[in-house]
Amino acid sequence: MRVHVPIAICFLAGLFMLVQFFVPHHLGVVYYEELQAWTRIVIAFTMVLGISSLIRTHWEKIRRRRQDWGYSVVTLVSFIAMVTIGAARGSEKGSPFMWAFDSVFNPLDATMFSLLAFFMASAAYRTFRARTPEATVLLLTAVIVMLGRVPLGDMMVQHGAYGIWAGLLFLCIAWAAFPWCAARFGRGTAWALGVALMLVPVALLVVSAHLRGMPISGATEWIMNTPAVGAKRGILFGVALGSIATSLRIIFGIERSHLGGH
Amino acid sequence: MFERLQHIDRRYIFIAIALAVIVPFLTGLQLPNGAVSPPTKDLYDLIDKLPARTPIMIAFDYGPASMPELQPMAVALVRHAFKKNLRILTVCLNVQGVPLAEDTLAKVAPEFSKVEDVDYLNLGFKSGGASVITGMGVDIQHVYRTVNEKPTAPMPVMAGIRNYQQIGCIIDLASSSTVDAWIQFAVEQFHGKLAAGVTAVMAVDYYPFLQTGQLSGFMNGLKGAADYEVLLGKRDKGVLGMASQSIAHALIVLFVVLGNIGYLMSRKPR
């Protein structure tokens, strides 16, 4: 009974939602609206579950004096203070609750997120190395997108700095290829090849005069619209097929982990 | 020397980034915005072509953490809508978005002498995520019967609005995957017109939906906000922030190039 009734409810609700999506009959809309109201009520109860879980977890940590239990005290005190202030004085503009939200929560939350910029800068510096051809492609793409997303990238192109960046790139390629060429053809030939490669940026500087009309943001849009979309579509298809399979397993009672147990 | 280029102390990187972000804000440095991205232009044109008094819906699905990127978008959008004499409904699937929506409306409405409940209304937060979106697809006033204990039905701002069919455009400003739910239900099931504004880190996830036409316009991070401000002709925090972001990005590229020069120069021949 404890298993079959929830499975039957799940089957009927799942089947109804599936059918009403494709059959826009008036009766379906009426029951659909009703079911949506039920869903919102059920979801509201999950807040109670979340609050009880928060209190239980942090209270246990404080009671057993686990590592960093002081942070749990701050969490619980802040939670109780905000709930009390909100319940007693409301949450309208100018209320103590909104003062705490604007003056304490807002800056703290923004600070946490802004720290990401520092870690991303440090991580990019340490990880974007041209160790392999794949890593080099990733590195170049990242550089183009980073510059293409800001006005400075376009300004560089408009001021003919394309050649300088290309020069830096070819300098890197020459230095990367030098040990391999030296081992295979001898140092003399490697130097000659290196110098020849160095001449490429000079040619690019000339060409860049004609490229001034093509901003780097255009290259960024192409990367976002073409290779990135291709990869993302593949992921989306995989996720969608997985979701359909899991949903059908739940509707037909094959997957029962949501009922508890195994 | 080249070995050292590979191991610059991270504290120097942190100081450089901090200066790159703070100094342009303090000096008010502004750079030319450059080319406007086509998806942002699409969104601007969509709003611009709506007839006067058409209602639009803006979803504030983000919290204070994403304010630097998304709040300039919200301000520019609201400013554009009021300038075009459109009605604005705001909703929040993220509870933290409620005060941000109120702040935005309270800041911009006086510029255009707009009145609450007549020209705009913050419907506020409802728990339920996707079920709120689908509920509004059937009947918005069934989901939001009252706002601040006042019934929504008699409000002039709600006149003639039943569901997404009467909304000129829904714009989801999001720092999480709520855009997916809006696409799934508001667009696919109820045939609403949707655009989005998201943080730059999420942007790549939504380009496929632009190509399929499920998103009618799109703002990508702070650059999207700056582009919108430029189109609107009212430069604000989006454009101001781009100077900081430009210098920070250039610095990161410089550090990456230095690290690679160090790596390639100190590599021994095999």
Side-chain angles (χ1 to χ4, degrees):
Chain A
M1 192 72 173
R2 285 174 63 185
V3 174
H4 290 113
V5 172
I7 286 176
I9 293 171
C10 190
F11 173 76
L12 290 172
L15 205 64
F16 171 75
M17 295 301 262
L18 199 66
V19 170
Q20 69 77 32
F21 189 91
F22 297 103
V23 185
H25 190 269
H26 169 71
L27 206 62
V29 173
V30 171
Y31 283 109
Y32 176 73
E33 207 171 327
E34 197 59 34
L35 267 181
Q36 287 299 327
W38 288 14
T39 311
R40 288 195 293 277
I41 293 164
V42 171
I43 289 172
F45 275 99
T46 59
M47 204 173 272
V48 179
L49 198 70
I51 291 167
S52 72
S53 170
L54 177 101
I55 293 171
R56 210 174 42 242
T57 309
H58 287 281
W59 178 248
E60 270 303 299
K61 207 169 167 182
I62 296 165
R63 205 166 61 84
R64 293 178 188 274
R65 297 284 194 277
R66 290 207 190 112
Q67 195 184 2
D68 297 332
W69 61 274
Y71 295 120
S72 294
V73 175
V74 175
T75 305
L76 286 186
V77 169
S78 309
F79 171 73
I80 292 164
M82 287 300 276
V83 169
T84 311
I85 293 169
R89 305 283 297 273
S91 58
E92 289 77 36
K93 199 86 190 150
S95 63
F97 181 89
M98 284 315 295
W99 176 86
F101 185 89
D102 289 337
S103 311
V104 182
F105 182 76
N106 262 3
L108 285 176
D109 204 18
T111 304
M112 287 297 291
F113 200 64
S114 61
L115 288 177
L116 202 63
F118 296 95
F119 290 114
M120 276 171 77
S122 171
Y125 161 68
R126 281 182 285 112
T127 52
F128 281 139
R129 294 280 153 82
R131 289 194 173 92
T132 60
E134 292 88 347
T136 311
V137 171
L138 189 68
L139 164 70
L140 291 174
T141 311
V143 168
I144 292 169
V145 172
M146 265 194 278
L147 292 175
R149 295 307 309 162
V150 291
L152 208 62
D154 281 345
M155 282 170 70
M156 281 162 59
V157 178
Q158 281 157 6
H159 293 87
Y162 223 106
I164 296 166
W165 284 99
L168 272 172
L169 170 67
F170 278 87
L171 184 74
C172 295
I173 294 170
W175 276 103
F178 185 80
W180 180 80
C181 286
R184 199 173 172 92
F185 306 114
R187 291 181 73 83
T189 315
W191 273 110
L193 279 172
V195 171
L197 205 54
M198 287 294 110
L199 290 174
V200 175
V202 178
L204 276 174
L205 263 172
V206 178
V207 175
S208 72
H210 301 284
L211 285 176
R212 284 179 190 180
M214 193 194 90
I216 201 164
S217 55
T220 303
E221 281 296 322
W222 179 83
I223 289 169
M224 301 291 263
N225 268 315
T226 312
V229 163
K232 186 66 196 169
R233 282 226 174 101
I235 296 167
L236 280 173
F237 273 114
V239 171
L241 290 172
S243 301
I244 292 168
T246 309
S247 304
L248 288 175
R249 283 172 63 85
I250 292 170
I251 288 170
F252 292 113
I254 303 164
E255 174 68 54
R256 298 178 180 191
S257 55
H258 62 287
L259 300 174
H262 300 290
Chain B
M1 182 216 167
F2 292 120
E3 194 64 37
R4 283 179 66 186
L5 278 182
Q6 287 189 74
H7 304 289
I8 298 172
D9 192 325
R10 69 170 67 185
R11 284 171 295 187
Y12 293 126
I13 299 174
F14 292 168
I15 290 168
I17 294 291
L19 289 174
V21 173
I22 294 165
V23 171
F25 269 111
L26 293 179
T27 57
L29 174 71
Q30 287 193 12
L31 297 175
N33 189 61
V36 171
S37 69
T40 307
K41 179 78 170 61
D42 292 342
L43 173 58
Y44 179 85
D45 289 342
L46 176 67
I47 302 283
D48 211 54
K49 283 174 186 158
L50 291 173
R53 297 299 293 167
T54 304
I56 64 164
M57 180 178 275
I58 305 176
F60 283 72
D61 296 336
Y62 62 96
S66 309
M67 265 178 79
E69 279 188 287
L70 300 180
Q71 195 72 356
M73 291 182 193
V75 172
L77 268 173
V78 170
R79 202 167 262 151
H80 190 195
F82 282 154
K83 191 178 165 186
K84 296 292 299 178
N85 195 22
L86 305 177
R87 285 180 282 165
I88 300 176
L89 298 177
T90 60
V91 293
C92 309
L93 300 183
N94 178 344
V95 70
Q96 295 175 4
V98 179
L100 305 181
E102 281 171 1
D103 282 352
T104 309
L105 292 168
K107 178 186 171 181
V108 184
E111 288 177 24
F112 297 88
S113 309
K114 295 293 177 183
V115 181
E116 193 175 6
D117 302 346
V118 177
D119 301 301
Y120 67 91
L121 177 66
N122 182 18
L123 292 166
F125 168 75
K126 278 269 181 215
S127 65
S131 72
V132 176
I133 299 171
T134 49
M136 288 194 293
V138 178
D139 190 348
I140 294 171
Q141 289 177 29
H142 186 78
V143 179
Y144 289 97
R145 285 180 203 277
T146 57
V147 171
N148 296 330
E149 293 167 16
K150 289 183 283 185
T152 53
M155 290 180 184
V157 71
M158 296 296 286
I161 303 174
R162 180 171 155 76
N163 52 38
Y164 299 135
Q165 296 303 312
Q166 292 81 42
I167 302 285
C169 181
I170 307 158
I171 306 112
D172 186 26
L173 303 176
S175 61
S176 63
S177 58
T178 47
V179 184
D180 296 3
W182 282 101
I183 292 170
Q184 263 177 322
F185 301 107
V187 177
E188 286 310 305
Q189 193 171 359
F190 295 103
H191 312 292
K193 209 168 203 28
L194 180 70
V198 299
T199 57
V201 75
M202 294 163 58
V204 74
D205 289 350
Y206 296 103
Y207 272 79
F209 301 111
L210 270 173
Q211 289 183 359
T212 55
Q214 287 160 307
L215 283 178
S216 305
F218 185 62
M219 284 189 280
N220 175 349
L222 194 63
K223 169 80 169 122
D227 285 349
Y228 207 99
E229 286 175 6
V230 168
L231 289 166
L232 195 58
K234 174 89 179 170
R235 289 169 184 245
D236 204 343
K237 286 185 176 165
V239 172
L240 187 65
M242 283 316 287
S244 291
Q245 194 162 311
S246 281
I247 298 170
H249 278 208
L251 255 180
I252 294 171
V253 171
L254 180 70
F255 279 121
V256 169
V257 170
L258 286 177
N260 276 282
I261 291 173
Y263 168 71
L264 296 169
M265 299 287 263
S266 57
R267 212 165 58 154
K268 291 183 179 63
R270 272 176 284 181

